[in-house]
């Protein structure tokens, strides 16, 4: 019997930015509902660069040296700002970010640093961890 892919991943440092999707919320007007058709700026959703072959072909995290597991619509990640203790759960609702545009980009919180954008959060999720005005923040991501 093949093992199920349900074991938690070790927390991985990564960068996250925020994006708008779905219904108007906060700084966002109404936009499309993302690759999964469920994305909303006012919900704790995220975009992941390896939701499908088509998504991976656009985002290309491998060009930055990142090997990411395929995680599809509805998968839950747990995210914590490197500077904080609050952890939130977010569900995949879109494809992104285009990781290869920011290879080597680095953000730190003290001596804790994260490199490469591997996750995009909706404004609701991002603001639960930090200020939207920062645009990009270092986080730990686990599955």
């Amino acid at each position: 019997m093949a093992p199920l892919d349900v074991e938690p991943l070790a927390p991985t440092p990564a960068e996250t930015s925020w994006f708008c999707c779905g219904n108007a919320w906060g700084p966002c007007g109404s936009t499309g509902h993302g690759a999964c058709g469920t994305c909303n700026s006012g919900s704790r959703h995220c975009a992941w660069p390896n939701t499908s072959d088509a998504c991976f072909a656009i985002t290309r995290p491998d060009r930055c040296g990142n090997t990411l597991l395929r995680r599809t619509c509805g998968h839950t990640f747990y995210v914590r700002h490197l500077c904080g203790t609050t952890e939130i759960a977010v569900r995949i609702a879109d494809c992104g970010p285009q990781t290869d545009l920011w290879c080597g980009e680095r953000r730190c919180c003290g001596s804790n640093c994260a490199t490469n954008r591997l996750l995009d959060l909706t404004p609701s999720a991002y603001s639960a961890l930090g200020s939207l005005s920062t645009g990009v923040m270092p986080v730990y991501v686990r599955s």
Side-chain angles (χ1 to χ4, degrees), residues 86-111:
T86 301
E87 183 176 77
I88 63 167
V90 295
R91 285 188 335 268
I92 295 175
D94 204 354
C95 164
Q98 191 170 344
T99 303
D100 67 343
L101 295 179
W102 300 284
C103 290
E105 182 181 66
R106 180 179 165 109
R107 296 280 191 289
C108 298
C109 181
S111 62

Side-chain angles (χ1 to χ4, degrees), residues 14-82:
E15 289 185 319
T16 188
S17 50
W18 60 272
F19 73 108
C20 297
C21 62
N23 302 330
W25 189 90
C28 300
S30 294
T31 61
H33 288 279
C36 302
T38 58
C39 195
N40 279 302
S41 294
S43 298
R44 289 188 178 174
H45 289 156
C46 70
W48 180 247
N50 193 10
T51 59
S52 66
D53 287 340
C55 177
F56 187 85
I58 295 167
T59 62
R60 297 304 305 264
D62 58 315
R63 289 184 178 156
C64 298
N66 299 114
T67 303
L68 303 178
L69 293 174
R70 173 72 42 93
R71 298 294 186 211
T72 57
C73 298
H75 179 82
T76 299
F77 285 109
Y78 300 91
V79 183
R80 179 175 60 84
H81 192 304
L82 262 62

Side-chain angles (χ1 to χ4, degrees), residues 2-10 69-71 75-76 78 142-143:
L4 297 175
D5 186 20
V6 294
E7 61 273 6
L9 297 173
L69 293 174
R70 173 72 42 93
R71 298 294 186 211
H75 179 82
T76 299
Y78 300 91
R142 69 179 180 87
S143 192

